Amino acid sequence: MALAVLLLASMAAPYHEQALLQIAHQAIEREVSGKPPAQVKADSPPSPVFITIERGGKVVGCRGSLAARTPSLEQEVASEARAACAHDPRYGPLTSKDLSRILVTVTVVDRMEPVGSVDGLEPSEGLVVRSGDKVGVVLPWEGKDPATRLKWAYKKAGLSEGSPATLALLIAKRFRG
């Protein structure tokens, strides 16, 4: 934790890539080892976050939200990292032997912009499909073909492809390490 606190203390921008990655890794390590969450220095305003964990090029955990649920960005990263490594119902919890082989991606949501179609959707832009209380999120760089990404978003939302829904670009910053 001292490294994360030191990095956060020296941040000039609203958040620092390496500090957020350090917070995520530390939260994952503590969750996997059964230790209580560490106190995280909370310098940045809250922001929605997604944490994706990969092993061998395959996703083994991903959790996040389009709305911040904690008082700071740093706390949001720690909370979602713990959830991604142990509480994603699609995957089993990580084990201590997984820790040396994981790649963590921190996706910090900046904003969403309504769009009428996915034409011209760039790989660096995420996609959100929403209909009532059903929401499907495809994160930036999750697939490249806009039509495939739209199909995935509908599926994630539990909606029939092409059913009435609103679309939004997900503008975010993405850090991997």
Side-chain angles (χ1 to χ4, degrees), residues 126-158:
L127 180 64
V128 178
V129 170
R130 186 183 309 259
S131 180
D133 63 349
K134 295 183 175 191
V135 179
V137 178
V138 176
L139 296 174
W141 300 105
E142 194 176 356
K144 292 194 170 52
D145 174 59
T148 300
R149 296 168 80 201
L150 179 60
K151 182 178 178 177
W152 291 349
Y154 269 103
K155 183 177 180 180
K156 288 180 176 190

Side-chain angles (χ1 to χ4, degrees), residues 15 47-50 66 106-113 123-127 137-141 169-175:
Y15 47 83
S47 185
V49 169
F50 288 83
L66 294 172
V106 176
T107 303
V108 181
V109 176
D110 182 35
R111 66 189 183 283
M112 291 183 287
E113 296 178 359
S124 62
E125 298 168 320
L127 180 64
V137 178
V138 176
L139 296 174
W141 300 105
L169 294 179
L170 179 70
I171 310 301
K173 292 184 177 46
R174 180 176 182 253
F175 312 125

Side-chain angles (χ1 to χ4, degrees), residues 39-69:
Q39 291 291 347
V40 178
K41 185 170 171 112
D43 288 342
S44 302
S47 185
V49 169
F50 288 83
I51 303 293
T52 306
I53 304 170
E54 297 172 67
R55 184 182 59 229
K58 296 189 187 299
V59 174
V60 294
C62 183
R63 301 306 296 163
S65 176
L66 294 172
R69 298 180 270 198

Side-chain angles (χ1 to χ4, degrees), residues 1-172:
M1 184 172 103
L3 176 59
V5 171
L6 177 62
L7 287 169
L8 287 171
S10 65
M11 292 179 358
Y15 47 83
H16 186 276
E17 173 180 345
Q18 290 304 317
L20 294 180
L21 286 168
Q22 177 68 27
I23 290 168
H25 277 279
Q26 180 185 54
I28 291 166
E29 290 169 11
R30 293 182 72 85
E31 183 71 24
V32 168
S33 68
K35 295 179 182 173
Q39 291 291 347
V40 178
K41 185 170 171 112
D43 288 342
S44 302
S47 185
V49 169
F50 288 83
I51 303 293
T52 306
I53 304 170
E54 297 172 67
R55 184 182 59 229
K58 296 189 187 299
V59 174
V60 294
C62 183
R63 301 306 296 163
S65 176
L66 294 172
R69 298 180 270 198
T70 65
S72 74
L73 172 61
E74 296 84 3
Q75 290 171 329
E76 197 75 17
V77 167
S79 176
E80 297 300 354
R82 288 191 307 273
C85 77
H87 306 287
D88 185 333
R90 300 167 294 179
Y91 308 99
L94 295 182
T95 66
S96 57
K97 60 184 175 173
D98 292 322
L99 295 178
S100 65
R101 303 178 297 152
I102 61 172
L103 174 66
V104 176
T105 302
V106 176
T107 303
V108 181
V109 176
D110 182 35
R111 66 189 183 283
M112 291 183 287
E113 296 178 359
V115 293
S117 75
V118 295
D119 294 338
L121 181 68
E122 297 291 328
S124 62
E125 298 168 320
L127 180 64
V128 178
V129 170
R130 186 183 309 259
S131 180
D133 63 349
K134 295 183 175 191
V135 179
V137 178
V138 176
L139 296 174
W141 300 105
E142 194 176 356
K144 292 194 170 52
D145 174 59
T148 300
R149 296 168 80 201
L150 179 60
K151 182 178 178 177
W152 291 349
Y154 269 103
K155 183 177 180 180
K156 288 180 176 190
L159 298 168
S160 299
E161 191 175 345
S163 63
T166 59
L167 304 177
L169 294 179
L170 179 70
I171 310 301

